[in-house]
Amino acid sequence: MDLQQRIKDTIRDVPDFPKPGIVFKDITPLLQDVKLSADITEAFADYWKSFPIDAIVGIESRGFIWGNAMAQKLGVPFVPVRKKGKLPADTFSYKYDLEYGSAEVEIHKDGIKAGQKVLVHDDLLATGGTAVAAAELIKKAGGEVVGFSFLVELGFLNGIESLKGYNSKVHSLITY
Ligand code: AMP
């Protein structure tokens, strides 16, 4: 069976979480299958290995899982983007609108060096707001966004449209 099918067969759909009408794509069953989780890391690293990447930024919290694993495979640093108030040292922050209210994310000022080429990684692309926030933090730090990497893309939400402005590669292992 190919990797895409194995992932689709293993991801758990949880209806009405965290609120009615949302089908949550639960990736935790993938982590219980050690071989599958390792194959996912391999597939990400294989895809991005030919791109010039100096660092990988992973988005809290599920973006840390394969983001860091891929960074180790590619031999580049991993830099976390976290929700406001979680990172202890000096940060850049970026506020963005959600369907209801707003959110704010941060990155350590010394996480990215000026001129570095950076890959953004998260588990899932929905509307794209979170990935854009991470990209804006990278720009604030003086880095250049070279790509966006996701395990899952919810194509029907067209989040890819909001990433067009960065003129960089967008790759997802599976799309719904
Ligand atoms: P967005 O900013 O709309 O692209 O949302 C992406 C972020 O929200 C990612 O960090 C995802 O982990 C999370 N997310 C949004 N929708 C879902 C979903 N249906 N299932 C699982 N995670 C989701």
Side-chain angles (χ1 to χ4, degrees), residues 17-18 22-27 59-63 96 98 122-132 150 154 156-157 159 162:
F17 183 89
I22 305 279
V23 179
F24 194 86
K25 298 288 179 192
D26 177 18
I27 56 109
I59 304 173
E60 179 175 357
S61 57
R62 291 178 298 275
Y96 60 106
L98 297 173
D122 201 1
D123 68 324
L124 185 140
L125 173 66
T127 64
T130 311
V132 163
F150 304 96
L154 300 182
F156 54 89
L157 292 176
S162 59

Side-chain angles (χ1 to χ4, degrees), residues 101-114:
S102 64
E104 197 164 347
V105 286
E106 296 182 327
I107 195 168
H108 272 148
K109 281 190 174 167
D110 61 1
I112 301 292
K113 289 169 190 63

Side-chain angles (χ1 to χ4, degrees), residues 17-94:
F17 183 89
K19 56 185 181 187
I22 305 279
V23 179
F24 194 86
K25 298 288 179 192
D26 177 18
I27 56 109
T28 62
L30 300 172
L31 300 171
Q32 293 187 318
D33 184 335
V34 178
K35 173 82 171 82
L36 178 53
S37 183
D39 289 348
I40 289 169
T41 305
E42 203 64 53
F44 279 133
D46 203 51
Y47 181 83
W48 291 105
K49 69 182 181 209
S50 57
F51 288 79
I53 292 168
D54 299 314
I56 296 178
V57 159
I59 304 173
E60 179 175 357
S61 57
R62 291 178 298 275
F64 295 174
I65 298 166
W66 288 288
N68 186 48
M70 185 181 5
Q72 290 188 347
K73 277 259 168 216
L74 295 177
V76 298
F78 175 78
V79 185
V81 160
R82 297 206 64 185
K83 290 173 186 128
K84 187 182 170 57
K86 300 283 186 187
L87 289 171
D90 282 350
T91 56
F92 292 114
S93 67
Y94 183 82

